[in-house]
Amino acid sequence: SVDIPVVEAASGSLEDLARQASTCRLCSLADTRTNVVFGVGNPQADIVFIGEAPGRDEDIKGEPFVGRAGQLLDRMLTAIGMDREQVYIMNTIKCRPPNNRDPRVDEVQACNLWFEQQLELLQPKLICLLGRVAAQTVLETDSPLGSLRGRWHDYQGIPAWVTYHPAYLLRSPQQKQKSWQDLQALLSRHREIRG
Ligand code: URA
């Protein structure tokens, strides 16, 4: 049996939520994880980037996107004139699935307790979903990445954009050009919002 933590809807701070999440035992990933990987960056950020799940490096460090894919994400941010301190970076689930398998539905559902409140506290103006798994999970769709890219979606009133996962770009560098176009479109929507 698990103790369901009593977490009041977005009443505390992001740090409070992170502290509560750090001892989460709502799913069995708690047995195999090293660290709960909550999120990193600027809590006031306009744009929140959302990946799939922590990998090995992230599990060890307790921070999202610190491995090779993370280094590429940093370069992607630099390309649009941003850095980690200006945006906020998180994942759909907070604990590493063994051998980096896709998150299971029950794990996503359990972690949604943290996910929803985290976004409620962050109140981003835009979210950018990295890769098929994050996009399908957050947008609750089975559509392939190809049909989700290039148009705006909605996540609880927040405009959501979909692009390739940096780990995929490491394997398929020929897609970097399209990824660059995606980031430019994200940036131009951000400029519109900033006025
Ligand atoms: N891949 C992800 O989706 N998230 C991370 O934090 C690292 C790699």
Side-chain angles (χ1 to χ4, degrees), residues 37 50-56 58 63-67 69-70 89-92 130 134 165-167:
V37 180
I50 304 178
E52 177 181 329
R56 187 175 52 98
E58 292 75 21
E63 192 177 316
F65 284 101
V66 290
I89 303 171
M90 57 186 272
N91 286 303
T92 55
L130 299 169
H165 193 289

PDB file of all heavy atoms in Angstrom, residues 37 50-56 58 63-67 69-70 89-92 130 134 165-167, ligand 1:
ATOM      1  N   VAL A  37      13.522  13.398 -10.104  1.00  0.00           N
ATOM      2  CA  VAL A  37      14.034  14.498 -10.936  1.00  0.00           C
ATOM      3  C   VAL A  37      12.869  15.463 -11.177  1.00  0.00           C
ATOM      4  O   VAL A  37      12.022  15.237 -12.044  1.00  0.00           O
ATOM      5  CB  VAL A  37      14.597  13.938 -12.263  1.00  0.00           C
ATOM      6  CG1 VAL A  37      15.139  15.065 -13.135  1.00  0.00           C
ATOM      7  CG2 VAL A  37      15.681  12.898 -11.979  1.00  0.00           C
ATOM      8  N   ILE A  50       9.272  20.242 -21.872  1.00  0.00           N
ATOM      9  CA  ILE A  50       8.884  19.007 -21.185  1.00  0.00           C
ATOM     10  C   ILE A  50       9.372  17.790 -21.962  1.00  0.00           C
ATOM     11  O   ILE A  50       8.993  17.581 -23.123  1.00  0.00           O
ATOM     12  CB  ILE A  50       7.352  18.944 -21.002  1.00  0.00           C
ATOM     13  CG1 ILE A  50       6.862  20.188 -20.244  1.00  0.00           C
ATOM     14  CG2 ILE A  50       6.957  17.661 -20.271  1.00  0.00           C
ATOM     15  CD1 ILE A  50       5.349  20.262 -20.049  1.00  0.00           C
ATOM     16  N   GLY A  51      10.242  17.014 -21.325  1.00  0.00           N
ATOM     17  CA  GLY A  51      10.736  15.771 -21.918  1.00  0.00           C
ATOM     18  C   GLY A  51       9.945  14.593 -21.402  1.00  0.00           C
ATOM     19  O   GLY A  51       8.891  14.739 -20.772  1.00  0.00           O
ATOM     20  N   GLU A  52      10.506  13.415 -21.678  1.00  0.00           N
ATOM     21  CA  GLU A  52       9.780  12.179 -21.385  1.00  0.00           C
ATOM     22  C   GLU A  52       9.977  11.732 -19.936  1.00  0.00           C
ATOM     23  O   GLU A  52       9.034  11.729 -19.142  1.00  0.00           O
ATOM     24  CB  GLU A  52      10.310  11.134 -22.369  1.00  0.00           C
ATOM     25  CG  GLU A  52       9.768   9.766 -22.230  1.00  0.00           C
ATOM     26  CD  GLU A  52      10.409   8.826 -23.266  1.00  0.00           C
ATOM     27  OE1 GLU A  52      10.763   9.279 -24.380  1.00  0.00           O
ATOM     28  OE2 GLU A  52      10.549   7.635 -22.946  1.00  0.00           O
ATOM     29  N   ALA A  53      11.182  11.372 -19.609  1.00  0.00           N
ATOM     30  CA  ALA A  53      11.483  10.825 -18.288  1.00  0.00           C
ATOM     31  C   ALA A  53      12.986  10.925 -18.062  1.00  0.00           C
ATOM     32  O   ALA A  53      13.753  10.966 -19.031  1.00  0.00           O
ATOM     33  CB  ALA A  53      11.057   9.362 -18.222  1.00  0.00           C
ATOM     34  N   PRO A  54      13.408  10.938 -16.808  1.00  0.00           N
ATOM     35  CA  PRO A  54      14.856  10.977 -16.556  1.00  0.00           C
ATOM     36  C   PRO A  54      15.537   9.734 -17.134  1.00  0.00           C
ATOM     37  O   PRO A  54      14.970   8.644 -17.118  1.00  0.00           O
ATOM     38  CB  PRO A  54      14.963  10.962 -15.026  1.00  0.00           C
ATOM     39  CG  PRO A  54      13.603  11.295 -14.515  1.00  0.00           C
ATOM     40  CD  PRO A  54      12.620  10.910 -15.582  1.00  0.00           C
ATOM     41  N   GLY A  55      16.733   9.914 -17.636  1.00  0.00           N
ATOM     42  CA  GLY A  55      17.581   8.790 -18.043  1.00  0.00           C
ATOM     43  C   GLY A  55      18.592   8.509 -16.934  1.00  0.00           C
ATOM     44  O   GLY A  55      18.450   8.993 -15.807  1.00  0.00           O
ATOM     45  N   ARG A  56      19.622   7.765 -17.290  1.00  0.00           N
ATOM     46  CA  ARG A  56      20.601   7.349 -16.270  1.00  0.00           C
ATOM     47  C   ARG A  56      21.319   8.537 -15.635  1.00  0.00           C
ATOM     48  O   ARG A  56      21.414   8.639 -14.411  1.00  0.00           O
ATOM     49  CB  ARG A  56      21.631   6.401 -16.915  1.00  0.00           C
ATOM     50  CG  ARG A  56      22.595   5.766 -15.937  1.00  0.00           C
ATOM     51  CD  ARG A  56      23.474   4.761 -16.652  1.00  0.00           C
ATOM     52  NE  ARG A  56      24.106   5.373 -17.833  1.00  0.00           N
ATOM     53  CZ  ARG A  56      25.344   5.862 -17.841  1.00  0.00           C
ATOM     54  NH1 ARG A  56      26.092   5.789 -16.783  1.00  0.00           N
ATOM     55  NH2 ARG A  56      25.836   6.420 -18.938  1.00  0.00           N
ATOM     56  N   GLU A  58      20.417  11.639 -15.509  1.00  0.00           N
ATOM     57  CA  GLU A  58      19.485  12.493 -14.767  1.00  0.00           C
ATOM     58  C   GLU A  58      19.122  11.858 -13.430  1.00  0.00           C
ATOM     59  O   GLU A  58      19.010  12.539 -12.399  1.00  0.00           O
ATOM     60  CB  GLU A  58      18.205  12.717 -15.596  1.00  0.00           C
ATOM     61  CG  GLU A  58      18.416  13.568 -16.846  1.00  0.00           C
ATOM     62  CD  GLU A  58      19.119  12.871 -18.001  1.00  0.00           C
ATOM     63  OE1 GLU A  58      19.112  11.619 -18.022  1.00  0.00           O
ATOM     64  OE2 GLU A  58      19.678  13.565 -18.871  1.00  0.00           O
ATOM     65  N   GLU A  63      18.695  15.919 -11.868  1.00  0.00           N
ATOM     66  CA  GLU A  63      18.374  17.103 -12.674  1.00  0.00           C
ATOM     67  C   GLU A  63      18.034  16.663 -14.098  1.00  0.00           C
ATOM     68  O   GLU A  63      18.709  15.786 -14.636  1.00  0.00           O
ATOM     69  CB  GLU A  63      19.601  18.025 -12.678  1.00  0.00           C
ATOM     70  CG  GLU A  63      19.309  19.395 -13.218  1.00  0.00           C
ATOM     71  CD  GLU A  63      20.541  20.312 -13.131  1.00  0.00           C
ATOM     72  OE1 GLU A  63      21.230  20.306 -12.080  1.00  0.00           O
ATOM     73  OE2 GLU A  63      20.804  21.006 -14.115  1.00  0.00           O
ATOM     74  N   PRO A  64      16.988  17.280 -14.701  1.00  0.00           N
ATOM     75  CA  PRO A  64      16.610  16.844 -16.037  1.00  0.00           C
ATOM     76  C   PRO A  64      17.614  17.274 -17.117  1.00  0.00           C
ATOM     77  O   PRO A  64      18.254  18.317 -16.990  1.00  0.00           O
ATOM     78  CB  PRO A  64      15.249  17.510 -16.293  1.00  0.00           C
ATOM     79  CG  PRO A  64      15.078  18.535 -15.253  1.00  0.00           C
ATOM     80  CD  PRO A  64      16.059  18.284 -14.161  1.00  0.00           C
ATOM     81  N   PHE A  65      17.711  16.451 -18.133  1.00  0.00           N
ATOM     82  CA  PHE A  65      18.497  16.773 -19.330  1.00  0.00           C
ATOM     83  C   PHE A  65      19.929  17.215 -19.007  1.00  0.00           C
ATOM     84  O   PHE A  65      20.346  18.319 -19.356  1.00  0.00           O
ATOM     85  CB  PHE A  65      17.773  17.833 -20.172  1.00  0.00           C
ATOM     86  CG  PHE A  65      16.614  17.268 -20.955  1.00  0.00           C
ATOM     87  CD1 PHE A  65      15.314  17.427 -20.512  1.00  0.00           C
ATOM     88  CD2 PHE A  65      16.835  16.554 -22.126  1.00  0.00           C
ATOM     89  CE1 PHE A  65      14.243  16.885 -21.221  1.00  0.00           C
ATOM     90  CE2 PHE A  65      15.775  16.006 -22.845  1.00  0.00           C
ATOM     91  CZ  PHE A  65      14.482  16.183 -22.393  1.00  0.00           C
ATOM     92  N   VAL A  66      20.650  16.339 -18.348  1.00  0.00           N
ATOM     93  CA  VAL A  66      22.067  16.629 -18.074  1.00  0.00           C
ATOM     94  C   VAL A  66      23.001  15.711 -18.862  1.00  0.00           C
ATOM     95  O   VAL A  66      24.210  15.894 -18.853  1.00  0.00           O
ATOM     96  CB  VAL A  66      22.412  16.540 -16.563  1.00  0.00           C
ATOM     97  CG1 VAL A  66      21.777  17.684 -15.805  1.00  0.00           C
ATOM     98  CG2 VAL A  66      22.014  15.199 -15.970  1.00  0.00           C
ATOM     99  N   GLY A  67      22.454  14.697 -19.552  1.00  0.00           N
ATOM    100  CA  GLY A  67      23.287  13.794 -20.352  1.00  0.00           C
ATOM    101  C   GLY A  67      23.504  14.356 -21.756  1.00  0.00           C
ATOM    102  O   GLY A  67      23.402  15.567 -21.968  1.00  0.00           O
ATOM    103  N   ALA A  69      21.708  14.113 -24.493  1.00  0.00           N
ATOM    104  CA  ALA A  69      20.516  14.774 -25.045  1.00  0.00           C
ATOM    105  C   ALA A  69      20.361  16.165 -24.427  1.00  0.00           C
ATOM    106  O   ALA A  69      19.976  17.122 -25.103  1.00  0.00           O
ATOM    107  CB  ALA A  69      19.270  13.935 -24.775  1.00  0.00           C
ATOM    108  N   GLY A  70      20.694  16.265 -23.154  1.00  0.00           N
ATOM    109  CA  GLY A  70      20.604  17.549 -22.468  1.00  0.00           C
ATOM    110  C   GLY A  70      21.590  18.564 -23.010  1.00  0.00           C
ATOM    111  O   GLY A  70      21.283  19.756 -23.125  1.00  0.00           O
ATOM    112  N   ILE A  89      12.782  23.450 -17.263  1.00  0.00           N
ATOM    113  CA  ILE A  89      12.873  22.148 -17.929  1.00  0.00           C
ATOM    114  C   ILE A  89      12.390  21.052 -16.974  1.00  0.00           C
ATOM    115  O   ILE A  89      12.819  21.001 -15.810  1.00  0.00           O
ATOM    116  CB  ILE A  89      14.338  21.858 -18.357  1.00  0.00           C
ATOM    117  CG1 ILE A  89      14.861  22.987 -19.261  1.00  0.00           C
ATOM    118  CG2 ILE A  89      14.428  20.525 -19.085  1.00  0.00           C
ATOM    119  CD1 ILE A  89      16.355  22.892 -19.561  1.00  0.00           C
ATOM    120  N   MET A  90      11.504  20.209 -17.467  1.00  0.00           N
ATOM    121  CA  MET A  90      10.974  19.121 -16.629  1.00  0.00           C
ATOM    122  C   MET A  90      10.598  17.942 -17.533  1.00  0.00           C
ATOM    123  O   MET A  90      10.769  18.008 -18.747  1.00  0.00           O
ATOM    124  CB  MET A  90       9.760  19.617 -15.841  1.00  0.00           C
ATOM    125  CG  MET A  90       8.648  20.176 -16.699  1.00  0.00           C
ATOM    126  SD  MET A  90       7.296  20.918 -15.740  1.00  0.00           S
ATOM    127  CE  MET A  90       6.265  19.470 -15.457  1.00  0.00           C
ATOM    128  N   ASN A  91      10.097  16.895 -16.938  1.00  0.00           N
ATOM    129  CA  ASN A  91       9.684  15.709 -17.681  1.00  0.00           C
ATOM    130  C   ASN A  91       8.244  15.346 -17.337  1.00  0.00           C
ATOM    131  O   ASN A  91       7.715  15.796 -16.324  1.00  0.00           O
ATOM    132  CB  ASN A  91      10.594  14.530 -17.322  1.00  0.00           C
ATOM    133  CG  ASN A  91      11.970  14.646 -17.943  1.00  0.00           C
ATOM    134  OD1 ASN A  91      12.116  14.745 -19.150  1.00  0.00           O
ATOM    135  ND2 ASN A  91      12.997  14.647 -17.094  1.00  0.00           N
ATOM    136  N   THR A  92       7.666  14.471 -18.176  1.00  0.00           N
ATOM    137  CA  THR A  92       6.297  14.028 -17.870  1.00  0.00           C
ATOM    138  C   THR A  92       6.281  13.183 -16.599  1.00  0.00           C
ATOM    139  O   THR A  92       5.329  13.242 -15.839  1.00  0.00           O
ATOM    140  CB  THR A  92       5.684  13.201 -19.020  1.00  0.00           C
ATOM    141  OG1 THR A  92       6.555  12.128 -19.313  1.00  0.00           O
ATOM    142  CG2 THR A  92       5.476  14.038 -20.258  1.00  0.00           C
ATOM    143  N   LEU A 130       8.873  17.770 -25.920  1.00  0.00           N
ATOM    144  CA  LEU A 130      10.024  17.210 -26.622  1.00  0.00           C
ATOM    145  C   LEU A 130       9.798  15.738 -26.924  1.00  0.00           C
ATOM    146  O   LEU A 130       9.868  14.884 -26.034  1.00  0.00           O
ATOM    147  CB  LEU A 130      11.281  17.402 -25.774  1.00  0.00           C
ATOM    148  CG  LEU A 130      11.638  18.866 -25.466  1.00  0.00           C
ATOM    149  CD1 LEU A 130      12.730  18.942 -24.402  1.00  0.00           C
ATOM    150  CD2 LEU A 130      12.080  19.587 -26.731  1.00  0.00           C
ATOM    151  N   ALA A 134       6.448  12.398 -24.824  1.00  0.00           N
ATOM    152  CA  ALA A 134       5.972  13.545 -24.030  1.00  0.00           C
ATOM    153  C   ALA A 134       4.734  14.153 -24.679  1.00  0.00           C
ATOM    154  O   ALA A 134       3.746  14.465 -24.002  1.00  0.00           O
ATOM    155  CB  ALA A 134       7.077  14.599 -23.906  1.00  0.00           C
ATOM    156  N   HIS A 165      12.563  15.175 -29.971  1.00  0.00           N
ATOM    157  CA  HIS A 165      13.351  15.000 -28.751  1.00  0.00           C
ATOM    158  C   HIS A 165      14.835  15.111 -29.122  1.00  0.00           C
ATOM    159  O   HIS A 165      15.262  14.559 -30.147  1.00  0.00           O
ATOM    160  CB  HIS A 165      13.067  13.614 -28.172  1.00  0.00           C
ATOM    161  CG  HIS A 165      13.562  13.451 -26.778  1.00  0.00           C
ATOM    162  ND1 HIS A 165      14.900  13.374 -26.477  1.00  0.00           N
ATOM    163  CD2 HIS A 165      12.900  13.388 -25.600  1.00  0.00           C
ATOM    164  CE1 HIS A 165      15.031  13.246 -25.160  1.00  0.00           C
ATOM    165  NE2 HIS A 165      13.835  13.263 -24.608  1.00  0.00           N
ATOM    166  N   PRO A 166      15.630  15.812 -28.307  1.00  0.00           N
ATOM    167  CA  PRO A 166      17.052  15.921 -28.664  1.00  0.00           C
ATOM    168  C   PRO A 166      17.756  14.569 -28.789  1.00  0.00           C
ATOM    169  O   PRO A 166      18.683  14.434 -29.602  1.00  0.00           O
ATOM    170  CB  PRO A 166      17.658  16.778 -27.549  1.00  0.00           C
ATOM    171  CG  PRO A 166      16.585  16.991 -26.540  1.00  0.00           C
ATOM    172  CD  PRO A 166      15.273  16.636 -27.154  1.00  0.00           C
ATOM    173  N   ALA A 167      17.313  13.560 -28.040  1.00  0.00           N
ATOM    174  CA  ALA A 167      17.947  12.235 -28.179  1.00  0.00           C
ATOM    175  C   ALA A 167      17.694  11.664 -29.580  1.00  0.00           C
ATOM    176  O   ALA A 167      18.550  11.001 -30.161  1.00  0.00           O
ATOM    177  CB  ALA A 167      17.425  11.267 -27.114  1.00  0.00           C
TER     178      ALA A 167
HETATM  179  N1  URA B   1      15.416  12.473 -21.877  1.00  0.00           N
HETATM  180  C1  URA B   1      14.289  13.015 -21.364  1.00  0.00           C
HETATM  181  O1  URA B   1      13.211  12.905 -21.928  1.00  0.00           O
HETATM  182  N2  URA B   1      14.404  13.671 -20.217  1.00  0.00           N
HETATM  183  C2  URA B   1      15.545  13.844 -19.567  1.00  0.00           C
HETATM  184  O2  URA B   1      15.541  14.476 -18.523  1.00  0.00           O
HETATM  185  C3  URA B   1      16.708  13.277 -20.138  1.00  0.00           C
HETATM  186  C4  URA B   1      16.619  12.600 -21.290  1.00  0.00           C
END
